[in-house]
């Protein structure tokens, strides 16, 4: 399963990466969007609702962690997010994954590997959506969307870490 028909948003301040990576995704049949800053990236994500976001942590206006939180609050887990960053420390990687990133790639990277990881994220998202469609649990103003891994209170999304979501689901 490829990326054909998918939309990929690259939020990255390095112009070389913004020129290079889209070429690889376009070869796979994906449409690409690019933003040089976090605020522009959030706006594009909310407006265009991409299938996948490639997100740098170190951005000139707001950090990638804040962008990730905003995307998850607004779009839930229906969009895949891969962090692309020079930060290779274990605490940084863990933070990205705890905040809801689907994968974490450390720079410098091979573009083919990023594309392969993107395919893997898309496969997981499509499999989850197919298997658990209609899997929302509802009670007293709460809705727990198992497929999207989101909690809604009176229709408003609540940002949860992966562990928090698992805990709420268990309860």
């Amino acid at each position: 399963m490829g990326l054909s028909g998918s939309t990929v948003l690259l939020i990255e301040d390095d112009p070389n990466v913004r020129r290079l990576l889209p070429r690889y995704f376009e070869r796979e049949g994906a449409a690409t969007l690019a933003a040089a800053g976090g605020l522009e990236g959030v706006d594009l994500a909310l407006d265009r609702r991409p299938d996948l976001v490639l997100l740098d942590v170190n951005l000139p206006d707001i950090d990638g962690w804040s962008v990730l939180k905003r995307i998850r609050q607004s779009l839930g887990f229906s969009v895949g997010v891969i962090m692309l960053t020079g930060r290779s420390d274990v605490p940084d990687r863990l933070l990205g994954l705890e905040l809801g990133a689907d994968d974490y790639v450390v720079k410098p990277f091979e573009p083919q590997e990023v594309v392969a990881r993107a395919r893997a994220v898309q496969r997981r998202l499509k499999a989850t959506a197919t298997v658990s469609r209609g899997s929302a649990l509802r009670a007293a103003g709460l809705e727990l969307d198992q497929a999207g891994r989101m909690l809604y209170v009176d229709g408003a999304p609540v940002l949860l870490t992966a562990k928090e979501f698992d805990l709420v689901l268990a309860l």
Side-chain angles (χ1 to χ4, degrees):
M1 175 182 296
L3 296 167
S4 183
S6 297
T7 300
V8 177
L9 170 59
L10 173 60
I11 305 173
E12 167 67 58
D13 63 331
D14 183 335
N16 294 324
V17 175
R18 281 198 320 274
R19 277 191 301 272
L20 176 70
L21 268 182
R23 293 179 189 162
Y24 285 85
F25 282 92
E26 289 164 2
R27 286 184 200 150
E28 295 285 320
T32 58
L33 307 165
L39 296 173
E40 177 188 7
V42 169
D43 287 344
L44 271 172
L46 299 183
D47 183 51
R48 301 290 295 276
R49 297 186 176 267
D51 300 294
L52 179 70
V53 175
L54 304 173
L55 176 60
D56 189 8
V57 172
N58 297 318
L59 297 167
D61 48 4
I62 62 173
D63 63 63
W65 311 127
S66 299
V67 173
L68 177 57
K69 288 177 191 176
R70 290 179 186 193
I71 288 172
R72 289 297 184 224
Q73 285 173 338
S74 300
L75 301 178
F77 285 83
S78 62
V79 59
V81 178
I82 299 175
M83 305 301 290
L84 299 176
T85 181
R87 293 183 172 190
S88 62
D89 295 340
V90 171
D92 285 329
R93 291 194 312 254
L94 293 175
L95 177 61
L97 296 170
E98 284 299 318
L99 289 175
D102 295 290
D103 204 347
Y104 196 102
V105 178
V106 177
K107 295 176 184 177
F109 53 77
E110 287 295 325
Q112 297 94 336
E113 180 183 358
V114 176
V115 170
R117 288 174 179 269
R119 276 195 229 104
V121 167
Q122 288 298 99
R123 277 193 305 270
R124 284 193 304 268
L125 287 173
K126 287 179 181 175
T128 301
T130 302
V131 169
S132 50
R133 195 167 279 150
S135 64
L137 304 172
R138 294 173 184 87
L142 298 176
E143 179 179 344
L144 191 64
D145 176 6
Q146 295 178 71
R149 294 189 58 85
M150 283 294 296
L151 172 66
Y152 298 89
V153 176
D154 295 326
V158 176
L159 181 64
L160 299 174
T161 66
K163 286 182 183 180
E164 290 169 338
F165 180 86
D166 291 340
L167 180 61
V168 170
L169 179 61
L171 295 173

